[in-house]
Amino acid sequence: MAPPAIIAPSILSADFANLGEECSRTIKQGADWLHVDIMDGHFVPNLTFGPPVVVKIRSHVEKPTQRYGKGTFDCHMMIAEPKKWVKEFKKAGCDLYCFHYEAAISSTAAESPEDSSELKTSPRELIRYIHDQGMLAGIAIKPATEVDVLWDVLDSPHEKERPDMVLVMTVEPGFGGQKFMASVLPKVEALRERYPDLNIEVDGGLGPGTIDQAADAGANVIVAGSAVFGAKDPAEVISLLRDAVNKRSTGKL
Ligand SMILES: O=C(CO)[C@H](O)[C@H](O)COP(=O)(O)O
Ligand SMILES: [Fe+2]
């Protein structure tokens, strides 16, 4: 059994010339969260946008009134220096700051050696820091990263060091519209078996054709970019994704 479905359309596939409207419409169409992909051209070979754009779209979408509530900005930070941007993204309106494990532990986490003590951080410390800034914390792993690296944070005796969500990437991060990698699903199964109440997010290639496999594995937070923004009827796709997860998590619709 998994927690209830949370559907988080990725605005990477929205019309960037019309982003505010696209975001508020998607929430009206039934989305719970908005998945905001931040790419820096270093951690991934693509660039998206930074805090000023998040500020603008925030003004089109009401802040959630509760933890994990409707309108949560789920910021997927595909950036080489995750600690550096925590405060800026909090100020911009981010609710859930999801960094990559690989970036946090990388020796390239700081641009210059003088910076390194300030910017290098362990995943546990970074989660604590994100919580101290008043955001939910997520930790993401790329397809090649073993799930075992997450036990350290998930089993921390300190609540502030434990993530509120784990993101298992189902494509190589960097671009929307890629093919779903079913080969990573055993990681979701292993997480769900150990942590029945954990929010487990999957991201990349999710849509009506792949949701059943992800839901069977135990994922409950579903990111979908092209499947939602490219659909004739986005509301129908959002509801189909939700039903597929809830059928498994509650046993009924
Ligand atoms: O993090 C991402 C890419 O790195 C996106 O969130 C993801 O690819 C969503 O797009 P789609 O649903 O079209 O695959
Ligand atoms: Fe993403």
Side-chain angles (χ1 to χ4, degrees):
M1 293 265 262
I6 293 172
I7 309 302
S10 161
I11 63 171
L12 192 58
S13 300
D15 173 7
F16 275 22
N18 221 348
L19 206 45
E21 286 233 337
E22 291 265 278
C23 290
S24 60
R25 185 168 48 83
T26 307
I27 291 288
K28 283 185 200 126
Q29 285 165 338
D32 301 293
W33 295 359
L34 288 178
H35 182 84
V36 181
D37 285 305
I38 307 296
M39 305 187 189
D40 68 352
H42 291 280
F43 183 70
V44 287
N46 197 4
L47 279 171
T48 54
F49 48 78
V53 174
V54 177
V55 169
K56 287 289 178 194
I57 56 176
R58 182 82 271 177
S59 68
H60 290 256
V61 178
E62 263 181 56
K63 267 293 230 190
T65 52
Q66 60 191 54
R67 276 159 68 86
Y68 310 107
K70 200 167 173 79
T72 291
F73 274 19
D74 164 30
C75 294
H76 177 191
M77 307 305 295
M78 287 166 273
I79 62 175
E81 297 178 344
K83 188 176 178 192
K84 183 173 172 179
W85 293 98
V86 170
K87 287 186 177 174
E88 284 294 320
F89 273 82
K90 168 66 185 171
K91 254 195 277 168
C94 169
D95 304 294
L96 191 162
Y97 190 96
C98 183
F99 67 90
H100 267 267
Y101 165 83
E102 301 85 359
I105 60 152
S106 166
S107 55
T108 60
E111 294 248 283
S112 63
E114 310 89 72
D115 286 331
S116 60
S117 57
E118 174 59 20
L119 294 174
K120 262 203 242 171
T121 183
S122 75
R124 277 192 188 198
E125 281 165 353
L126 186 48
I127 291 167
R128 179 181 281 277
Y129 184 61
I130 295 165
H131 282 148
D132 284 344
Q133 302 306 317
M135 291 185 286
L136 297 167
I139 183 166
I141 51 171
K142 294 207 241 181
T145 303
E146 298 288 342
V147 70
D148 317 37
V149 302
L150 298 173
W151 306 156
D152 181 59
V153 287
L154 287 165
D155 295 338
S156 167
H158 308 288
E159 199 187 339
K160 276 203 165 184
E161 294 177 353
R162 294 198 294 268
D164 303 288
M165 184 187 82
V166 164
L167 162 53
V168 176
M169 287 304 296
T170 45
V171 296
E172 246 354 290
F175 300 91
Q178 301 183 72
K179 192 171 177 294
F180 177 74
M181 296 169 69
S183 58
V184 308
L185 291 177
K187 296 197 276 190
V188 176
E189 285 165 9
L191 281 162
R192 180 56 70 217
E193 199 174 313
R194 276 176 77 124
Y195 308 99
D197 299 327
L198 180 67
N199 280 311
I200 304 176
E201 182 174 62
V202 282
D203 179 12
L206 270 306
T210 50
I211 186 62
D212 285 337
Q213 298 168 71
D216 278 342
N220 71 300
V221 185
I222 310 298
V223 176
S226 34
V228 169
F229 285 95
K232 264 207 200 109
D233 186 348
E236 190 179 50
V237 174
I238 290 169
S239 129
L240 182 152
L241 298 174
R242 185 189 312 289
D243 289 352
V245 172
N246 283 344
K247 211 163 31 186
R248 274 106 181 150
S249 62
T250 62
K252 53 182 185 311
L253 291 181

